[in-house]
């Protein structure tokens, strides 16, 4: 009886051990997701502005960022001393964005209702008080409802001017500059491919030079219009006063967002929060990526993942079909399978080095010499770009697709193949119409795993095409519309850059958590889409079987 009880107890040990390990794993995942959710979703909620008066007479207007206990320091009662990291803003005035303040140095704390927080295009936030609004030489001074309302009226008008100036610089002048560069390249191309002294070559060169002359005239007109818009924009300014009495004048068009945090109601704070969230998802980055949006990084991540999937799935599936359905099983095939499995364990940076050497320098360099000689020595495809980065990741995720597809093929009963052949189908018809259909859910599982792996990889991208800030997207309205040679932004690299390369790490923390949350959301959405397709295919197979 006693021996039986001991045996039953020993039998339960593996259950407790394995269950505990699963619980630890789930706990770690939940803790990671919880940290990202709390820190990310709470990053954009407006916080109150504190007026801090110190014992030495120094004053700050600042946000409470975080606090901590001062190591190895106690007060007279034996209680540990504490300090708080405040974000004081006004970096162009103070030369720093954050300051540690010991609680023992604080004389008083207030929340002035008239204090304003200004998010601007450059130099980070500004904290102070509205002193005056200047519109076309007319100055309205003081903090009255009339001045505040006047400033609120000017903000949307200034935003329109800023947008107009940006579109003129980016679209009109940028487009003209691009056409001038292309015309110069066309002249160089004619000189390389034809005898420059021939009549036909001279006619083509003269036509391009006339085109350049016309474009230069358009460029000068656009530049003149831009100068007029900027001059008009400088007529609208707002004057702020800091808590220490410094005055700071800003063009109203440089203000992204302005609000009084100590007067905001819950709905007002929710409005600021949603406005920041919309800017984060749809806007352009600013302040060295530590503020603004990540729209180019979202676009680059999704596009790179789709190109990678389009490249890796057909290649991996066909390779797996050959290994499982056509190749004669033996030492050679076993060796290939071992090599494929080992390929999955190669560090990702090694794939990046291979991508640079093979795709960028060898393949891209050859393409440049054959099709873009007029652009040399500046590379077109001979440098990093979204196509080479996607193909490098396709190579990295290839073992995942091959192994999962082989597993799916092995799960298809041989009786199914034999029945198809017995009905008169050829080997190709059996593989293509019977085995492929039955294995499709498993193949999609491999595609899902490859997408998840590829979307989160960063190391190979750092040397094959990703950049900190990409001025142009790989897709635009300029022929040929898809620019596979362009460099791109990626959410994973954005996290690395903002979190570890930014000169203002504390200010960038919010972007790190929000970008991490966004990257996880995109990966989950891509996986859910693939899983829905797989579930629908499984349903169709079950219906066909019944």
């Amino acid at each position: 009886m006693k021996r039986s009880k001991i045996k039953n107890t020993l039998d339960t040990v593996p259950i407790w051990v394995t269950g505990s390990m699963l619980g630890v794993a789930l706990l770690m995942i939940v803790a990671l997701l919880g940290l990202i959710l709390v820190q990310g979703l709470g990053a954009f909620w407006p916080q109150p502005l504190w007026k801090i008066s110190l014992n030495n007479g120094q004053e700050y207007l600042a946000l409470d960022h975080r606090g901590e206990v001062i190591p190895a320091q106690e007060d007279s009662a034996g209680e540990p001393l504490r300090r708080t990291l405040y974000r004081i803003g006004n970096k162009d005035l103070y030369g720093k964005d954050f300051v540690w303040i010991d609680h023992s140095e604080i004389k008083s704390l207030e929340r002035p209702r008239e204090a304003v927080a200004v998010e601007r295009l450059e130099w980070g936030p500004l904290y102070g008080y509205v002193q005056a609004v200047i519109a076309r030489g007319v100055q309205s001074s003081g903090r009255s409802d009339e001045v505040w309302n006047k400033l609120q009226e000017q903000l949307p008008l200034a935003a329109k001017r800023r947008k107009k100036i940006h579109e003129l610089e980016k679209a009109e002048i940028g487009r003209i500059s691009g056409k001038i560069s292309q015309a110069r390249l066309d002249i160089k191309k004619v000189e390389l491919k034809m005898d420059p002294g021939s009549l036909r070559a001279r006619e083509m060169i003269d036509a391009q030079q006339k085109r350049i002359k016309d474009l230069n005239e358009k460029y000068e007109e656009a530049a003149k219009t831009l100068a007029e818009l900027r001059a008009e924009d400088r007529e609208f300014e707002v004057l702020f006063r800091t808590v220490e009495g410094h005055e700071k004048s800003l063009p109203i068009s440089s203000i992204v967002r302005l609000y009084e945090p100590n007067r905001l109601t819950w709905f007002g704070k929710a409005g600021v929060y949603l406005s920041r969230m919309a800017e984060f998802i749809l806007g352009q980055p600013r302040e060295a990526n530590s503020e603004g949006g990540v729209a180019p990084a979202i676009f680059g991540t999704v596009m790179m993942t789709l190109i990678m999937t389009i490249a890796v799935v057909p290649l991996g599936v066909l390779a797996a079909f050959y290994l499982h359905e056509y190749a004669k099983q033996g030492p050679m095939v076993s060796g290939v399978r071992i090599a494929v499995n080992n390929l999955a364990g190669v560090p990702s940076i090694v794939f990046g080095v291979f991508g640079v050497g093979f795709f960028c320098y060898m393949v891209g360099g050859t393409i440049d010499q054959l099709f873009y000689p007029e652009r040399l020595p500046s590379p077109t495809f001979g440098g990093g770009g979204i196509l080479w980065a996607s193909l490098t990741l396709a190579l990295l995720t290839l073992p995942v697709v091959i192994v999962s597809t082989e597993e799916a093929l092995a799960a298809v009963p041989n009786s199914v193949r034999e029945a198809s052949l017995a009905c008169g189908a050829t080997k190709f018809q059996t593989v293509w119409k019977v085995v492929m259909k039955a294995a499709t859910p498993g193949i999609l599982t491999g595609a899902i795993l490859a997408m998840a792996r590829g979307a989160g990889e960063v190391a190979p991208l750092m040397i094959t095409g990703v950049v900190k800030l990409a001025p142009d997207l790989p897709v635009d309205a300029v022929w040929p519309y898809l620019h596979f040679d362009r460099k791109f932004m990626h959410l994973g690299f954005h996290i690395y850059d903002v979190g570890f390369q930014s000169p203002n790490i504390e200010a960038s923390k919010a972007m790190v958590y929000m970008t991490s949350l966004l990257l996880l959301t995109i990966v989950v959405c891509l996986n859910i889409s693939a899983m829905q397709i797989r579930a629908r295919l499984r349903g169709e197979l079950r219906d066909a079987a019944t």
Side-chain angles (χ1 to χ4, degrees):
M1 182 66 182
K2 189 174 182 181
R3 181 176 298 176
S4 175
K5 189 175 180 180
I6 293 173
K7 183 176 181 301
N8 291 335
T9 303
L10 291 175
D11 287 342
T12 60
V13 170
I15 298 175
W16 281 102
V17 171
T18 54
S20 300
M21 293 301 105
L22 176 62
V24 170
L26 291 176
L27 189 62
M28 291 171 64
I29 294 172
V30 170
L32 174 64
L33 293 178
L35 175 67
I36 293 175
L37 282 171
V38 171
Q39 295 290 340
L41 294 178
F44 292 153
W45 189 258
Q47 300 296 323
L49 267 176
W50 294 93
K51 180 184 176 183
I52 309 160
S53 301
L54 304 182
N55 294 328
N56 59 5
Q58 178 81 40
E59 290 185 325
Y60 291 112
L61 197 58
L63 297 179
D64 185 344
H65 192 65
R66 62 183 171 90
E68 67 178 22
V69 174
I70 303 175
Q73 290 194 29
E74 297 179 346
D75 59 12
S76 56
E79 295 294 328
L81 295 177
R82 294 188 61 83
R83 62 182 179 182
T84 298
L85 182 65
Y86 285 99
R87 186 171 195 182
I88 57 176
N90 307 353
K91 194 175 178 182
D92 47 342
L93 298 175
Y94 295 129
K96 54 187 176 182
D97 206 7
F98 291 85
V99 62
W100 282 103
I101 298 179
D102 294 354
H103 290 191
S104 59
E105 298 175 355
I106 297 176
K107 181 179 178 182
S108 65
L109 280 173
E110 302 174 49
R111 292 173 57 173
R113 292 176 59 80
E114 66 274 15
V116 297
V118 184
E119 297 175 20
R120 45 187 176 167
L121 294 177
E122 298 176 342
W123 293 104
L126 182 147
Y127 304 134
Y129 306 95
V130 176
Q131 187 77 6
V133 176
I134 304 167
R136 297 189 187 281
V138 179
Q139 178 169 327
S140 304
S141 303
R143 173 60 184 92
S144 64
D145 290 341
E146 182 183 353
V147 174
W148 181 255
N149 292 335
K150 189 176 183 63
L151 179 57
Q152 295 297 321
E153 288 174 4
Q154 288 295 330
L155 284 173
L157 299 176
K160 287 182 180 178
R161 284 197 302 274
R162 181 174 69 233
K163 184 179 179 182
K164 196 172 180 180
I165 290 173
H166 177 74
E167 289 177 349
L168 193 58
E169 289 176 330
K170 183 80 175 178
E172 185 67 19
I173 295 180
R175 182 176 58 81
I176 295 173
S177 299
K179 287 183 176 180
I180 292 174
S181 299
Q182 185 59 48
R184 289 173 177 157
L185 289 173
D186 290 342
I187 291 175
K188 190 176 177 182
K189 191 174 183 179
V190 170
E191 292 173 344
L192 287 173
K193 292 189 174 181
M194 302 175 68
D195 179 8
S198 67
L199 179 61
R200 177 60 180 159
R202 289 307 314 164
E203 289 177 350
M204 295 176 71
I205 291 173
D206 290 344
Q208 292 299 334
Q209 287 177 340
K210 182 178 182 305
R211 187 184 175 208
I212 292 174
K213 183 180 178 182
D214 295 339
L215 288 170
N216 278 328
E217 291 176 357
K218 291 182 180 178
Y219 182 91
E220 290 176 2
E221 291 177 6
K224 183 179 178 182
T225 305
L226 179 62
E228 292 173 352
L229 279 174
R230 284 177 172 163
E232 180 188 358
D233 187 59
R234 284 194 291 270
E235 295 180 3
F236 298 88
E237 293 183 328
V238 57
L239 187 64
F240 293 98
R241 177 178 56 82
T242 68
V243 70
E244 291 186 308
H246 299 295
E247 290 189 346
K248 178 66 181 177
S249 176
L250 286 181
I252 299 180
S253 61
S254 69
I255 297 174
V256 178
R257 196 170 292 103
L258 181 145
Y259 57 95
E260 295 175 304
N262 297 337
R263 287 179 187 266
L264 286 177
T265 62
W266 188 90
F267 290 103
K269 292 180 179 179
V272 174
Y273 180 84
L274 293 176
S275 170
R276 286 175 168 172
M277 188 68 78
E279 184 194 10
F280 174 73
I281 297 174
L282 304 174
Q284 297 289 325
R286 52 187 167 86
E287 283 293 295
N289 290 352
S290 63
E291 294 183 10
V294 293
I298 296 173
F299 187 87
T301 304
V302 174
M303 185 173 177
M304 185 217 65
T305 305
L306 292 178
I307 295 174
M308 179 208 71
T309 307
I310 292 171
V312 71
V313 170
L315 182 61
V317 169
L318 291 178
F321 264 84
Y322 178 79
L323 286 174
H324 196 273
E325 300 293 330
Y326 292 105
K328 185 179 179 181
Q329 303 302 312
M332 179 67 77
V333 172
S334 298
V336 171
R337 285 199 178 97
I338 292 172
V340 169
N341 289 329
N342 288 335
L343 199 63
V346 175
S348 58
I349 190 64
V350 176
F351 284 94
V353 173
F354 175 81
V356 170
F358 181 73
F359 291 123
C360 298
Y361 294 158
M362 189 178 294
V363 181
T366 304
I367 292 174
D368 283 355
Q369 290 179 358
L370 292 176
F371 300 103
Y372 304 99
E374 71 278 7
R375 298 188 180 187
L376 294 173
S378 298
T380 303
F381 281 93
I386 192 169
L387 178 61
W388 303 142
S390 302
L391 293 181
T392 301
L393 285 187
L395 196 61
L396 187 149
T397 54
L398 186 61
V400 177
V401 179
I402 291 177
V403 171
S404 60
T405 303
E406 274 213 272
E407 293 292 332
L409 294 175
V412 179
N414 283 331
S415 58
V416 174
R417 297 178 178 83
E418 293 166 358
S420 175
L421 294 171
C423 290
T426 64
K427 175 74 174 178
F428 175 75
Q429 289 172 328
T430 299
V431 170
W432 181 250
K433 295 187 177 180
V434 179
V435 179
M436 168 75 93
K437 195 169 184 180
T440 298
I443 295 171
L444 284 176
T445 300
I448 293 169
L449 294 174
M451 289 167 64
R453 172 82 190 276
E457 276 292 343
V458 175
L461 306 180
M462 295 169 69
I463 51 179
T464 55
V466 76
V467 289
K468 176 186 178 74
L469 188 63
D472 298 304
L473 294 176
V475 178
D476 59 20
V478 178
W479 174 261
Y481 309 121
L482 286 173
H483 305 278
F484 290 120
D485 58 309
R486 284 184 181 172
K487 298 182 186 297
F488 65 105
M489 295 180 67
H490 184 271
L491 287 173
F493 182 77
H494 189 81
I495 294 170
Y496 164 75
D497 175 61
V498 173
F500 300 97
Q501 301 296 311
S502 173
N504 196 350
I505 298 294
E506 288 293 341
S508 306
K509 280 185 178 177
M511 293 293 287
V512 171
Y513 284 113
M514 276 305 299
T515 309
S516 302
L517 181 60
L518 192 59
L519 180 58
L520 284 175
T521 304
I522 289 175
V523 172
V524 169
C525 288
L526 290 173
N527 288 348
I528 288 175
S529 301
M531 284 190 287
Q532 285 181 338
I533 296 173
R534 183 180 63 182
R536 189 170 62 187
L537 287 173
R538 279 179 175 167
E540 291 177 357
L541 287 174
R542 280 197 299 270
D543 294 341
T546 55

